C-alpha cells in the first residue's frame, strides 16, 4: 500500500523545517508500515497539543498515520543523521536507525515534530532491522507519560500501535510503533556529526538558534557572529541540561544509556530504553544490565551529562569559538545543577528555603537510604506525615533507630521555619509522587499487552498523569515489588 495523506490536519498546519536543510542532513524515505496494526492506546493529553479530539484518536486516519500507512499532507518523511559517543567511546556516524520524522504540526500547544519510532530500516540502521518490539515500545510509551506527569521535560508519546509482525530479539517478539512528539529531536550528536565541517555546522547552528534559541543570536542578519552565538547556545543548553539532571536525581530516575546521541539539545529526556525508577535506593544503582562498568549509575548521571556537554562544546570549535569562551559557557553547569537540586530537595523536604547548613542533612538522607535500602519514592512520600505517623515512615527502614536519629534532626530543622504543619504536608504531597513507573508495573503492562490486553497500560497512564494524588484503586500501584518477586532486568535491547 503506497502512503497517502492522512486528513487529520490542514495543510496550513503542516511543514517540515528539518527538510529545508541540505540533503546531507537526512535521508528522505517512507516508514515501513505495520501489517494489520492495532491501536493499543492513544494519549489524549499529547494529542490535544496538536488539536486532535477524542473522535480523531478513534479514527482510521489516526491509526494509519501512527502505523506508517499514511503521511502528513505535502511532507515526505525522513530520517536524520548524527554521530556520537556510546559508553564513552566514539562510535562515528549513527542516525535515526528505526525512526522517521513525519513533519511538524502547529497546534494549540505549539509546533511539534511527529516521529514514528520502530518504523523500519533507514540508511542509518547499521546492522539493525529498524523495528521496535512491543516490550520496549510499551516502556517508552509509559515512561514519557511518567516524566510528563512529574513535570520533568520529556518527549511525549501520542500513540502506541501493535501488530503481529514477528521480530527476533533474544526471543521471537512482535513489532510495535510509538508515535512521539517534541518541539525538536535534535541531539548533541547532530552537532558532533559536523564537528569537522564548519559550513554545515554553521547551517545547523543557524537552524537550531532561529527555531528554538532566538535569544542566543549574536551579530546582525547581514553579519552573524557565529562563535558568540554558539557559546551562548552552549551556555543555555548547559543550564537546561543541569536542571534536567537535578530533576532526574530527585525522582530516582536512571536513564541507563546517556550516550551523547541520546542527549536533547532542548534539555528533554530523550530515548527511553533501559531506564528505571529506583525501588530500594542505592546511590550507585545501575539500571542497565548492559552497563557492566556502571558508567551510567544514578550517582554518575550529573557528571556524565557534564562530560557529554564537553563533547558538544568540542564540536563547536570548528565555528571559530575560542576554547576559553566554550569553557566559560560550560562552567555554569555545576552552579545551575546545585541551585536546581537544592531548590528541589528543599521542596521535597517541605522547607521554605535552602540553607547552606542543610547540605549535611541532605547528604545524610542519601546515606541513610543507601545503607537501609529504603524505598526511594515512599521514603519521600511518607516523610510528610512522619510527625503524626512516624511508624509508617520508620517501617521503611531496616534499622529504625538510625532513621529515628535522622528524623529528629529533620524535625528540628522544620521547627526553625515555623511553617504550619498542614500547609507543609500539603506542599510536600504536591511534589513527592505516590505513583512512579516501577519496573514491575511496566512489566505487568507488557505481559498483558502481549496477550492483547491494554487495560494495564490505560490504568498506568491514568495514574501517571497525576502521580501525586491518591486515586481510587491505586494502592497496589504505590507499592514496591514483593520481596520475593523476580527482579526485572532491562538492557539496551529494552
Amino acid at each position: 500500500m503506497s502512503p497517502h495523506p492522512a486528513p487529520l490536519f490542514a495543510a496550513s498546519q503542516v511543514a517540515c523545517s528539518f527538510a529545508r536543510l541540505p540533503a546531507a542532513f537526512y535521508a528522505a524515505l517512507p516508514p515501513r508500515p505495520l501489517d494489520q496494526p492495532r491501536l493499543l492506546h492513544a494519549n489524549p493529553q499529547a494529542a490535544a497539543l496538536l488539536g486532535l479530539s477524542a473522535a480523531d484518536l478513534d479514527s482510521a486516519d489516526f491509526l494509519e498515520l501512527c502505523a506508517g500507512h499514511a503521511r502528513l499532507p505535502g511532507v515526505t518523511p525522513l530520517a536524520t543523521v548524527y554521530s556520537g559517543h556510546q559508553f564513552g567511546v566514539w562510535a562515528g556516524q549513527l542516525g535515526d536507525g528505526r525512526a522517521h520524522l513525519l513533519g511538524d504540526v502547529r497546534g494549540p500547544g505549539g509546533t511539534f515534530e511527529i516521529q514514528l519510532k520502530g518504523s523500519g530500516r533507514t540508511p542509518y540502521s547499521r546492522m539493525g532491522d529498524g523495528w521496535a518490539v512491543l516490550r520496549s515500545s510499551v516502556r517508552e510509551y509509559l515512561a514519557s507519560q511518567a516524566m510528563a506527569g512529574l513535570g520533568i521535560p520529556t518527549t511525549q508519546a501520542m500513540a502506541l500501535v501493535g501488530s503481529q509482525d514477528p521480530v527476533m530479539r533474544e526471543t521471537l517478539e512482535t513489532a510495535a510503533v510509538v508515535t512521539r512528539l517534541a518541539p525538536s529531536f535534535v541531539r548533541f550528536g547532530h552537532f558532533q556529526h559536523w564537528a569537522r565541517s564548519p559550513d554545515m555546522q554553521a547551517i545547523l547552528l543557524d537552524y537550531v538558534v532561529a527555531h528554538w534559541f532566538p535569544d542566543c543570536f549574536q551579530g546582525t542578519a547581514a553579519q552573524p557572529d557565529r562563535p558568540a552565538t554558539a557559546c551562548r547556545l552552549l551556555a543555555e543548553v548547559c543550564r537546561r541540561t543541569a536542571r534536567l539532571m537535578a530533576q532526574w536525581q530527585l525522582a530516582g530516575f536512571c536513564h541507563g544509556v546517556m550516550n551523547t546521541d541520546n542527549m536533547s539539545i532542548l534539555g528533554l529526556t530523550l530515548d527511553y530504553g533501559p531506564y528505571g525508577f529506583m525501588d530500594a535506593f542505592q546511590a550507585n544503582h545501575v539500571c542497565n544490565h548492559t552497563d557492566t562498568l556502571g558508567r551510567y549509575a544514578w550517582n554518575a548521571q550529573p557528571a556524565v551529562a557534564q562530560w557529554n556537554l564537553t563533547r558538544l562544546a568540542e564540536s563547536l570549535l570548528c565555528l571559530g569559538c575560542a576554547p576559553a569562551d566554550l569553557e566559560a559557557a560550560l562552567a555554569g553547569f555545576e552552579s545551575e545543577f546545585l541551585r536546581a537540586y537544592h531548590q528541589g530537595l528543599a521542596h521535597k523536604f517541605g522547607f521554605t528555603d535552602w540553607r547552606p547548613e542543610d547540605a549535611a542533612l541532605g547528604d545524610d538522607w542519601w546515606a541513610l537510604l543507601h545503607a537501609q535500602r529504603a524505598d526511594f519514592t515512599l521514603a519521600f512520600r511518607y516523610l510528610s506525615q512522619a510527625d503524626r505517623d512516624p511508624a509508617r515512615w520508620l517501617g521503611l527502614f531496616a534499622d529504625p533507630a538510625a532513621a529515628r536519629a535522622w528524623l529528629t534532626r529533620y524535625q528540628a530543622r522544620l521547627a526553625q521555619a515555623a511553617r504550619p504543619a498542614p500547609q507543609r504536608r500539603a506542599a510536600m504531597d504536591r511534589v513527592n509522587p505516590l505513583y512512579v513507573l516501577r519496573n514491575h508495573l511496566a512489566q505487568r503492562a507488557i505481559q498483558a499487552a502481549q496477550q492483547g490486553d491494554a487495560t494495564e497500560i490505560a490504568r498506568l497512564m491514568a495514574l501517571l498523569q497525576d502521580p501525586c494524588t491518591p486515586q481510587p484503586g491505586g494502592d497496589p500501584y504505590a507499592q514496591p515489588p514483593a520481596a520475593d518477586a523476580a527482579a526485572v532486568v532491562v538492557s539496551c535491547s529494552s
Side-chain angles (χ1 to χ4, degrees):
M1 180 186 298
S2 60
H4 59 278
L8 292 166
F9 307 103
S12 59
Q13 288 180 268
V14 176
C16 187
S17 63
F18 204 94
R20 300 188 190 116
L21 296 174
F25 281 85
Y26 59 85
L29 75 168
R32 178 181 174 183
L34 293 176
D35 187 34
Q36 297 182 331
R38 176 192 173 204
L39 182 66
L40 291 172
H41 199 272
N43 184 349
Q45 288 187 335
L49 298 170
L50 306 182
L52 295 177
S53 66
D56 291 325
L57 304 189
D58 286 336
S59 69
D61 293 324
F62 183 76
L63 175 57
E64 289 194 338
L65 181 72
C66 297
H69 287 272
R71 62 177 58 174
L72 297 175
V75 177
T76 299
L78 58 86
T80 71
V81 64
Y82 46 83
S83 297
H85 287 80
Q86 298 189 327
F87 290 91
V89 178
W90 178 246
Q93 179 181 299
L94 303 166
D96 293 328
R98 55 174 176 166
H100 291 74
L101 177 63
L102 300 186
D104 320 330
V105 173
R106 180 169 42 82
T111 299
F112 288 86
E113 293 181 349
I114 302 180
Q115 187 186 75
L116 302 185
K117 183 174 181 180
S119 46
R121 286 181 58 84
T122 78
Y124 317 118
S125 297
R126 297 190 287 175
M127 300 299 292
D129 56 22
W131 293 102
V133 296
L134 180 61
R135 166 176 50 93
S136 63
S137 300
V138 169
R139 285 180 57 82
E140 169 133 5
Y141 187 74
L142 292 171
S144 60
Q145 181 57 67
M147 297 297 264
L150 291 169
I152 300 176
T154 179
T155 58
Q156 301 208 44
M158 183 170 68
L160 173 63
V161 176
S163 75
Q164 292 303 310
D165 293 309
V167 181
M168 178 58 69
R169 294 293 184 261
E170 287 89 347
T171 61
L172 189 65
E173 303 185 56
T174 56
V177 168
V178 174
T179 304
R180 58 185 189 175
L181 311 178
S184 172
F185 287 94
V186 171
R187 308 150 184 264
F188 291 11
H190 283 96
F191 285 89
Q192 288 185 283
H193 187 71
W194 303 112
R196 289 180 169 81
S197 303
D199 291 343
M200 301 296 269
Q201 190 75 294
I203 290 170
L204 179 61
L205 175 73
D206 291 349
Y207 168 72
V208 168
V209 168
H211 281 82
W212 299 285
F213 298 91
D215 291 345
C216 293
F217 179 78
Q218 297 289 284
T220 65
Q223 194 169 6
D225 185 342
R226 290 198 176 93
T229 298
C231 288
R232 286 185 61 126
L233 172 65
L234 178 62
E236 177 58 24
V237 175
C238 280
R239 284 190 286 269
R240 294 188 185 198
T241 305
R243 292 193 291 267
L244 181 68
M245 291 303 105
Q247 289 176 289
W248 283 9
Q249 300 304 95
L250 293 171
F253 175 77
C254 301
H255 185 279
V257 60
M258 288 178 64
N259 299 332
T260 57
D261 58 295
N262 289 337
M263 299 292 291
S264 161
I265 205 71
L266 298 185
L268 308 175
T269 311
L270 177 68
D271 282 351
Y272 295 96
Y275 67 84
F277 287 88
M278 263 192 282
D279 297 315
F281 177 72
Q282 291 287 275
N284 58 345
H285 174 70
V286 178
C287 67
N288 180 358
H289 185 66
T290 311
D291 185 10
T292 55
L293 298 180
R295 177 179 177 82
Y296 299 140
W298 176 84
N299 58 1
Q301 290 182 140
V304 170
Q306 197 168 24
W307 190 91
N308 289 345
L309 286 160
T310 303
R311 306 289 79 75
L312 173 62
E314 290 169 352
S315 76
L316 302 175
L317 285 167
C318 69
L319 295 171
C321 300
D325 293 338
L326 292 170
E327 289 173 5
L330 290 167
F333 177 89
E334 184 173 356
S335 60
E336 184 63 18
F337 170 78
L338 289 174
R339 184 203 63 77
Y341 165 74
H342 288 150
Q343 182 183 68
L345 189 56
H347 290 161
K348 290 177 78 69
F349 280 164
F351 300 163
T352 54
D353 60 353
W354 180 265
R355 304 173 184 177
E357 58 268 28
D358 293 333
L361 189 69
D363 290 346
D364 290 345
W365 166 260
W366 298 122
L368 174 68
L369 265 60
H370 178 87
Q372 305 285 316
R373 297 187 63 87
D375 186 81
F376 184 102
T377 300
L378 296 183
F380 276 110
R381 179 70 183 195
Y382 292 175
L383 187 61
S384 68
Q385 306 291 329
D387 56 333
R388 60 182 183 183
D389 187 8
R392 190 184 195 199
W393 182 78
L394 289 168
L396 298 171
F397 300 90
D399 179 6
R404 190 176 292 108
W406 184 91
L407 184 62
T408 299
R409 294 167 55 203
Y410 168 71
Q411 290 174 331
R413 170 62 176 88
L414 288 179
Q416 295 174 15
R419 188 181 193 183
Q423 183 185 91
R424 177 201 33 95
R425 294 188 195 110
M428 292 176 70
D429 286 347
R430 285 194 296 269
V431 297
N432 289 314
L434 187 58
Y435 313 109
V436 295
L437 186 59
R438 299 174 185 269
N439 270 337
H440 75 285
L441 299 178
Q443 187 64 24
R444 186 189 307 164
I446 290 166
Q447 291 170 344
Q450 289 171 334
Q451 301 302 314
D453 181 1
T455 304
E456 280 298 304
I457 294 174
R459 180 61 174 151
L460 283 170
M461 289 291 284
L463 291 169
L464 296 171
Q465 285 173 1
D466 188 12
C468 293
T469 302
Q471 299 182 40
D475 286 352
Y477 296 86
Q479 301 304 315
D484 59 351
V488 177
V489 177
V490 294
S491 65
C492 286
S493 70
S494 301

